[in-house]
Amino acid sequence: MLKQTTKLPYIILLGLIFYFPFLGGVHLFDWDEINFAESAREMILTGNYSRVQIDFKPFWEKPPLFFWMQTIAMHIFGVNEFAARFPNACIGVITLITLFIIGKKLKDSTFGFIWSLMYLGAFTPHLYFKSGIIDPTFNLCIFLGIYFFFTAKIEPIQYLKSIIFSGFFIGLAILTKGPVAGLIWGLTIFFYGLSIRFKNYIKWKEMVIFGISCLLITSIWFANELFNNGPWFFKEFITYQIRLFSTPDAGHGQPFYYHFVVVLIGCFPISIFAIRAFTYNHAKIDSTFNELTAFVPWMKTTFWVVMILFSIVTTKIVHYSSMAYFPVSFLAAKFIYDWLNERATWNKWVSFGLISIGGILSLILAAVPLVGMNTKAIVPYIKDPFAVKNLEAVVEWHTYEIFIGILYFAVILYAVLVLRHKRKEVFIYTLSLSTAICLFLFGAMVVPKIERYTQGAAIDFYESKRGQEVYVHVLGFKSYAHLFYFQKPVSDVSAKLGEKYEDWLLNGKVDKPVFFVTKFDRYDEYRNHPNLELIKEQNGFVFLKRKNL
C-alpha cells in the first residue's frame, strides 16, 4: 500500500480526475437532472431563493438546499450542464475525503484508503457524482448523522459535540430532500437499539440536544417559509410525501425485490464483497474491541433499514436505495481489509459473483455501441413505436467503443483469476481503478450518443427557439427539458393560467407564435387539431406549430 502520509492527496487527486472532466459533455437527462437544474435557474431568474419553483409555480416536492448549491455554481459557470452537475462532483471529492478520514479514525489510514477506493470504483456510486441529482448530497448528510450518533455512544468525551453534529447533518439532509432523512436516521437508531435491547442506549437529554440542533438547521428554510407564506406550502409538501410512500408513480411500481437487484448489480464490484462481509462474525476475528468492529452492526442496520423501507414504499426508483451505498462500501472495505490481513478468507462464491455480475455489466457496455451500429437489425424486435423512432437518429459509432466493455471484463478475469492469488494489493487497485476508468471512458464516449437517441432531437429544437419571442410547450408527455433548454422567461403567463395554460396555447388568443413538441406515439391525439400544423417528425418526436395567433 501507499505510505501513510501520501494516501489522502492521492484520494483527492483521483476524485478530481474522475469526477470533474466532461461534466458538461452531455445534455441533462429528463426528468430529475433537468427538473432540479430548472428549479435552480428559476431561482436565479426570479430572485426568489426561499421557494422552490418549477415552471414558475410552487414545487413542493423538495426543500431548497441542493438548488442553492446549483445556483451558486450557475452564478460562477453560467446556466449550463457543467454548473448543474458541479455540486455533486464537489460532494464526490468530499465523500472520498470523508470516508478516508472516518476510516482512518475507525482503524487506520489503510482501511480509510480502501474504503475510499471501493467507493470510487463502484458503478452507481461513481456515476452519481457525475450527475445533477439530489441524492449524493442527501446520502452523505444522513451517513454523517448516523456516524456522529455512533461516536457519541463510544466516545463519552466527545458526547455533546457528536450529538450536535448528528443533528446538524440530519438537519442538512432534511433541507436537501425532506423528512425521509429523519425517518432513515430514526429507524436506524431504533433498530440498532432494539438489537442491543436498548441497554444504556438512548437518553432523553441526547434526543433533546439532537432535536434542537436539527431544528435550528431546518429552520433556516422551514421557519422562514412558514412565517412569510403561511402553512399552505407545508400542507402540499406533506401531502406529496405521503402520496410518494403510499401510491406508485406511473412507471415506478416495481416488485418488492427491486432495490436488492439494483444494489447488487449497480454497486458492482463492492456489492459482492459486502455480501461476503455479511457471512462471518466480525467480532470474533478481532482479539480486542475496536471502533471498526463496533461500527459494523450500525452499518448493517443502516443497510437493512434502507433496503426494507424503500422496498415497502410503493414508488420504486433506482436512486431511492442509494443511501445503501455507504453501508455496502463500508462492509466491502471491511472484508477486503480483513482478507488482506488474513482474518477473512476468500471463497469461490466471491469469484463467481465478480465474474458473473462483471460479465453481465461488461456485456451491456459492449452491447450498447454494437446495437447502435446495427439498429436496423434490432428494430423488428422492439415493440415500443417511440423507441423504434428514437433509433432513427443519425449517430456515428466506432468499433473501438465496443472494446470498453470487452477490455473491462478481461481485466476482471485477470484480476480475479491471477492477481488475487499473487498480489492482493495490486488486485484491489486494479479492480477499483479499472471500474473507474471504464465508467470514465463510457461516460465520455458512449453516453452522449445514447442521449442523442433518447432526447437529442427535442433538445436541439428547444435550443433553436431560445431567445425568440415565442412559446414552447410539450403535449401528451411529462418533461422539463423545454423549460431549461428553451430557457422559458419569467414573464410567461403559465403561472397565472395554471392548468388552463395548455388549452390557451392550443385554442386561446395568444400574443406570439406557439410551438409544440409531442411524441410519435402520442401524435394521433393532436393530428387533426384544427389549430395545429406539422413542422417535422424526427427521431420519435413530432414538432408542431400553432396555425394562427
Side-chain angles (χ1 to χ4, degrees):
M1 284 285 180
L2 295 169
K3 293 180 179 179
Q4 301 285 326
T5 57
T6 63
K7 290 175 181 176
L8 183 56
Y10 273 88
I11 286 295
I12 296 172
L13 181 62
L14 287 171
L16 294 174
I17 290 172
F18 283 107
Y19 293 149
F20 286 92
F22 306 112
L23 280 181
V26 61
H27 291 123
L28 300 171
F29 284 89
D30 240 354
W31 294 340
D32 285 352
E33 274 200 310
I34 300 181
N35 179 354
F36 303 150
E38 173 61 16
S39 291
R41 184 187 77 88
E42 292 183 18
M43 279 187 174
I44 294 172
L45 206 57
T46 62
N48 184 352
Y49 293 89
S50 64
R51 173 168 286 187
V52 182
Q53 304 174 82
I54 193 72
D55 199 8
F56 305 104
K57 296 184 282 290
F59 180 63
W60 48 75
E61 295 184 15
K62 301 290 185 295
L65 181 59
F66 184 73
F67 308 120
W68 291 341
M69 295 164 63
Q70 287 187 310
T71 59
I72 293 171
M74 288 179 181
H75 277 298
I76 298 171
F77 302 110
V79 178
N80 54 48
E81 295 86 357
F82 182 88
R85 294 174 177 135
F86 182 79
N88 275 347
C90 294
I91 290 295
V93 176
I94 292 169
T95 297
L96 296 183
I97 294 170
T98 299
L99 297 184
F100 176 81
I101 292 173
I102 292 177
K104 182 178 179 180
K105 188 173 183 301
L106 290 172
K107 189 64 178 179
D108 54 37
S109 61
T110 297
F111 178 78
F113 187 75
I114 292 172
W115 192 1
S116 298
L117 202 61
M118 292 286 102
Y119 211 97
L120 176 78
F123 267 70
T124 43
H126 183 101
L127 292 174
Y128 271 30
F129 293 132
K130 306 192 76 169
S131 75
I133 65 174
I134 286 176
D135 298 83
T137 303
F138 177 68
N139 296 334
L140 176 62
C141 290
I142 296 176
F143 168 74
L144 287 172
I146 293 170
Y147 169 73
F148 278 109
F149 197 85
F150 159 77
T151 60
K153 294 301 170 184
I154 63 169
E155 297 180 8
I157 297 177
Q158 302 291 327
Y159 168 81
L160 181 61
K161 182 173 73 172
S162 295
I163 291 293
I164 292 173
F165 273 124
S166 181
F168 173 81
F169 282 109
I170 295 302
L172 288 181
I174 292 171
L175 277 180
T176 303
K177 201 174 179 179
V180 68
L183 180 62
I184 293 172
W185 180 89
L187 289 174
T188 300
I189 301 308
F190 173 80
F191 282 109
Y192 175 78
L194 188 64
S195 71
I196 61 170
R197 300 181 181 179
F198 296 102
K199 186 177 180 180
N200 299 321
Y201 184 51
I202 296 179
K203 302 175 183 177
W204 285 109
K205 178 182 176 181
E206 61 192 28
M207 289 296 100
V208 171
I209 295 171
F210 171 88
I212 292 173
S213 176
C214 183
L215 186 62
L216 287 173
I217 296 301
T218 56
S219 295
I220 292 172
W221 177 68
F222 282 96
N224 177 71
E225 177 66 26
L226 185 63
F227 179 78
N228 290 318
N229 300 299
W232 172 81
F233 184 87
F234 288 99
K235 291 179 182 177
E236 296 294 341
F237 181 79
I238 297 300
T239 299
Y240 169 78
Q241 301 298 323
I242 294 171
R243 180 180 66 79
L244 191 66
F245 272 75
S246 60
T247 306
D249 279 355
H252 297 305
Q254 305 293 345
F256 182 85
Y257 56 82
Y258 172 80
H259 286 297
F260 290 91
V261 176
V262 166
V263 171
L264 173 65
I265 297 176
C267 284
F268 180 85
I270 61 175
S271 57
I272 308 302
F273 299 138
I275 290 172
R276 179 69 180 98
F278 273 103
T279 63
Y280 62 92
N281 190 320
H282 294 262
K284 283 187 176 180
I285 65 174
D286 291 315
S287 56
T288 58
F289 172 84
N290 61 75
E291 291 188 11
L292 179 61
T293 303
F295 199 47
V296 170
W298 286 77
M299 287 289 91
K300 286 184 176 180
T301 303
T302 302
F303 173 81
W304 288 115
V305 164
V306 171
M307 298 304 291
I308 294 174
L309 174 64
F310 290 107
S311 294
I312 294 172
V313 170
T314 52
T315 298
K316 294 179 174 64
I317 301 175
V318 170
H319 49 258
Y320 280 11
S321 57
S322 59
M323 177 56 207
Y325 300 168
F326 280 94
V328 168
S329 63
F330 170 81
L331 292 168
K334 179 64 165 59
F335 164 67
I336 291 296
Y337 185 83
D338 291 339
W339 176 60
L340 282 173
N341 290 282
E342 307 293 341
R343 291 199 294 265
T345 58
W346 190 281
N347 63 38
K348 63 181 180 180
W349 293 109
V350 178
S351 297
F352 175 78
L354 290 173
I355 293 172
S356 59
I357 303 298
I360 292 171
L361 289 169
S362 299
L363 182 62
I364 294 171
L365 295 176
V368 170
L370 189 62
V371 167
M373 295 175 191
N374 299 276
T375 54
K376 292 182 180 179
I378 68 165
V379 161
Y381 302 98
I382 301 176
K383 304 302 181 183
D384 184 347
F386 178 65
V388 170
K389 288 290 184 179
N390 284 164
L391 293 176
E392 292 178 357
V394 178
V395 178
E396 184 180 357
W397 291 95
H398 304 282
T399 303
Y400 60 79
E401 290 158 349
I402 299 173
F403 285 93
I404 296 174
I406 295 173
L407 290 176
Y408 179 57
F409 186 60
V411 172
I412 293 173
L413 283 177
Y414 177 72
V416 173
L417 299 179
V418 178
L419 284 179
R420 76 172 182 84
H421 293 293
K422 298 179 179 180
R423 304 178 67 185
K424 291 183 178 180
E425 294 177 359
V426 177
F427 163 80
I428 297 167
Y429 292 138
T430 301
L431 192 61
S432 297
L433 293 180
S434 65
T435 302
I437 292 169
C438 171
L439 294 173
F440 183 86
L441 294 175
F442 195 83
M445 297 164 59
V446 179
V447 172
K449 297 181 180 182
I450 297 173
E451 190 266 341
R452 292 308 303 169
Y453 290 115
T454 60
Q455 61 181 23
I459 288 180
D460 288 347
F461 183 80
Y462 304 142
E463 290 182 323
S464 73
K465 302 301 176 186
R466 184 184 299 171
Q468 297 182 21
E469 286 296 317
V470 299
Y471 295 108
V472 176
H473 189 67
V474 297
L475 294 172
F477 69 104
K478 182 178 179 180
S479 175
Y480 302 104
H482 62 297
L483 304 175
F484 186 81
Y485 283 103
F486 168 56
Q487 295 198 354
K488 187 176 183 178
V490 69
S491 59
D492 199 280
V493 297
S494 60
K496 183 186 297 184
L497 292 175
E499 294 181 358
K500 298 179 180 179
Y501 177 63
E502 183 175 299
D503 182 66
W504 179 76
L505 290 177
L506 285 168
N507 304 302
K509 189 176 180 180
V510 295
D511 56 345
K512 51 188 175 182
V514 186
F515 295 90
F516 298 96
V517 179
T518 188
K519 292 184 177 181
F520 175 80
D521 54 349
R522 315 289 172 83
Y523 180 40
D524 284 344
E525 300 174 38
Y526 307 98
R527 186 185 299 273
N528 298 317
H529 194 287
N531 293 336
L532 295 178
E533 61 178 319
L534 176 66
I535 300 174
K536 63 177 179 177
E537 295 182 23
Q538 185 179 3
N539 306 338
F541 293 95
V542 181
F543 304 94
L544 306 163
K545 182 179 180 179
R546 174 78 182 267
K547 284 183 180 179
N548 56 330
L549 298 181

